[in-house]
Amino acid sequence: MAIFSVYVVNKAGGLIYQLDHYVPRADTEKTFSFPLDLVLRPHDERVVVAFGQRDGIRVGHAVLAINGAEVNGRFTADGKDVLEFLGNPANYPVSIRFGRHRLSSNEKLMLASMFHSLFAIGSQLSPEVGSSGIEMLETDTFKLHCFQTLTGIKFMVLADPRQTGIDALLRKIYEIYSDFALKNPFYSLEMPIRCELFDQNLKLALEVAEKAGPFGPGS
Amino acid sequence: MSRSPGRKQENHKISRELFVLTYGALVAQLCKDYEKDEDVNACLDRMGYSIGVRLIDDFLARSAVKKCRSYSETADMIAQVAFKMYLGVTPSVSCSSATGNEFSLILDKNPLVDFVEELPAERASLCYCNLLCGVIRGALEMVHLAAEVTFLQDRLKGDAVTEIGITFLRKPEDRKHRR
């Protein structure tokens, strides 16, 4: 029962707040000897596992660290190409950490804007006039709940599919936003939210919602 | 009006007198700073505007009202829910034009002028509560309704009642899609 993250998007589609509340960490570190029985290939700026899933190392996991030192995209900490390094038998035995790649803040910004556009398209596609837009996006591993206020701000919560009470949580986040972000005289509208009180109260609200569990909060 | 349970401990009240006094001090200071009444009125309107653009989200979050589908619904919402929530008074609404986009809110009790009898002679065209006009204008703009809000009548100026006029302006493009 977990709430993974919260995103707040402003009227123009820009991400103004993001919180990763719970990230399921599935890192696996293993020592390997030559030859490597996993098939690795480059993908975007990372080296990912293409085949050879075993022992918690899944297809799609990226190489996060070699011998304890974090890799920098496709290069090791010393600047050597990862695939070259792992192709050289002299470097073995080697300990490699695999895991799901975490989104960078730029990627989050891009994804938030994309969702904003999809949301607008969704409202236009509606056969009825005055649609609320996308309220929920459901997958097998998470549910994305979205709430757009009448002023155009969108609050998105990614949570476990079994988590209930997210609607109430979204309303609560709206209240917290109107209190600790908007009433802060030094916060400019539509800008990234950097208010300590907002963070604290949001985390509190998320914990309350999580504790309520699968039966939903009291009211 | 819904308040979630977690906020019980934060409901300590601030005295109404303090608020009215603060507002009075604000207007008095503006009168010292600006010679012309129009400047004071404009300044109050601007301040009200920046309050309104923030207050609207607070209003929507606390009252959880549905989107208004017509100007008259909007005017009713302002009078019966918003004024009640923030000032504790409920003005009456009347529609004053055939086109259906001009409304008046008639206030028989205005808490902001509790301690004011009448305007001084040299400030005859001062709109004492112009902040309220700015607030309404700012709030409406954030929900994509452009409006002009002014005082049509003012008890402080000798009229019988205090009347706020809201004129909804037609938007250049159609409002049929996304909000």
Side-chain angles (χ1 to χ4, degrees):
Chain A
M1 286 299 110
I3 294 171
F4 299 129
S5 45
V6 176
Y7 291 75
V8 182
V9 177
N10 68 10
K11 285 194 260 259
L15 186 66
I16 58 175
Y17 184 79
Q18 199 279 323
L19 174 71
D20 282 326
H21 181 67
Y22 171 71
V23 180
R25 233 46 203 109
D27 287 357
T28 333
E29 186 149 14
K30 282 211 141 22
T31 316
F32 298 90
S33 52
F34 192 80
L36 204 54
D37 53 353
L38 301 165
V39 178
L40 298 176
R41 66 178 174 86
H43 175 74
D44 282 348
E45 289 305 312
R46 313 187 282 280
V47 176
V48 297
V49 176
F51 205 74
Q53 188 160 294
R54 65 163 190 143
D55 288 342
I57 301 169
R58 322 262 310 255
V59 168
H61 276 192
V63 173
L64 297 179
I66 293 186
N67 290 331
E70 292 210 354
V71 305
N72 188 0
R74 301 241 293 263
F75 300 93
T76 65
D78 325 334
K80 298 201 260 304
D81 188 88
V82 168
L83 290 169
E84 265 184 51
F85 184 85
L86 294 174
N88 185 352
N91 294 321
Y92 284 79
V94 71
S95 140
I96 315 177
R97 177 150 54 96
F98 291 94
R100 245 201 110 218
H101 172 72
R102 291 247 251 162
L103 289 173
S104 72
S105 34
N106 270 348
E107 285 171 335
K108 286 178 187 163
L109 271 161
M110 269 193 330
L111 291 173
S113 314
M114 270 203 273
F115 183 78
H116 171 84
S117 312
L118 289 176
F119 188 98
I121 294 172
S123 314
Q124 302 255 16
L125 285 175
S126 163
E128 297 279 325
V129 176
S131 157
S132 73
I134 299 176
E135 284 186 344
M136 183 159 71
L137 200 128
E138 189 171 344
T139 73
D140 57 344
T141 47
F142 72 92
K143 268 189 193 169
L144 180 150
H145 301 252
C146 178
F147 167 56
Q148 173 167 274
T149 68
L150 293 175
T151 48
I153 311 270
K154 280 187 261 305
F155 297 95
M156 280 135 58
V157 169
L158 270 74
D160 191 288
R162 294 157 294 172
Q163 183 77 39
T164 55
I166 301 288
D167 276 342
L169 175 66
L170 284 167
R171 304 284 180 287
K172 180 87 183 113
I173 296 179
Y174 188 25
E175 272 185 38
I176 295 175
Y177 167 77
S178 79
D179 281 342
F180 299 104
L182 290 186
K183 296 201 181 98
N184 181 345
F186 303 113
Y187 167 68
S188 330
L189 257 53
E190 311 293 302
M191 290 287 118
I193 301 176
R194 304 229 182 287
C195 310
E196 192 54 55
L197 284 172
F198 179 78
D199 280 335
Q200 285 171 8
N201 281 273
L202 181 62
K203 286 182 183 141
L204 222 63
L206 291 177
E207 273 157 31
V208 167
E210 275 182 328
K211 273 201 196 70
F215 306 107
S219 82
Chain B
M1 174 170 66
S2 58
R3 286 197 181 254
S4 39
R7 279 184 64 88
K8 273 207 189 75
Q9 64 273 24
E10 295 169 42
N11 266 351
H12 36 252
K13 300 210 178 294
I14 293 191
S15 128
R16 169 186 155 134
E17 274 79 22
L18 180 61
F19 174 65
V20 176
L21 274 173
T22 307
Y23 186 73
L26 175 74
V27 178
Q29 185 60 46
L30 283 176
C31 288
K32 285 202 194 86
D33 291 341
Y34 295 101
E35 277 181 22
K36 300 211 291 210
D37 292 343
E38 295 77 36
D39 292 338
V40 180
N41 291 341
C43 194
L44 281 171
D45 188 77
R46 270 199 311 272
M47 284 197 275
Y49 179 83
S50 40
I51 294 177
V53 298
R54 293 166 183 258
L55 200 65
I56 179 69
D57 275 313
D58 182 78
F59 172 67
L60 292 173
R62 303 231 179 284
S63 62
V65 293
K66 294 274 170 284
K67 193 160 79 171
C68 290
R69 298 282 172 191
S70 68
Y71 290 139
S72 70
E73 261 189 69
T74 312
D76 285 336
M77 189 71 70
I78 296 174
Q80 286 154 14
V81 190
F83 265 85
K84 183 103 176 44
M85 192 189 282
Y86 292 112
L87 288 175
V89 294
T90 314
S92 52
V93 187
S94 64
C95 179
S96 53
S97 85
T99 51
N101 63 333
E102 285 176 28
F103 294 85
S104 341
L105 305 177
I106 302 184
L107 286 147
D108 49 341
K109 265 193 325 175
N110 185 353
L112 291 177
V113 302
D114 267 356
F115 305 126
V116 185
E117 308 173 329
E118 54 177 26
L119 296 171
E122 68 271 15
R123 291 284 175 193
S125 54
L126 175 70
C127 292
Y128 187 80
C129 296
N130 219 27
L131 194 91
L132 292 180
C133 295
V135 172
I136 298 174
R137 185 171 66 89
L140 285 173
E141 190 168 307
M142 294 301 271
V143 286
H144 312 109
L145 287 171
E148 267 174 24
V149 189
T150 49
F151 271 92
L152 299 174
Q153 294 187 73
D154 198 343
R155 264 223 186 93
L156 291 178
K157 294 188 184 146
D159 297 319
V161 290
T162 306
E163 189 179 339
I164 301 178
I166 305 179
T167 307
F168 292 100
L169 305 169
R170 192 136 309 274
K171 283 172 43 135
E173 86 299 337
D174 237 345
R175 314 179 5 219
K176 66 174 183 323
H177 53 232
R178 67 179 181 93
R179 200 44 98 77

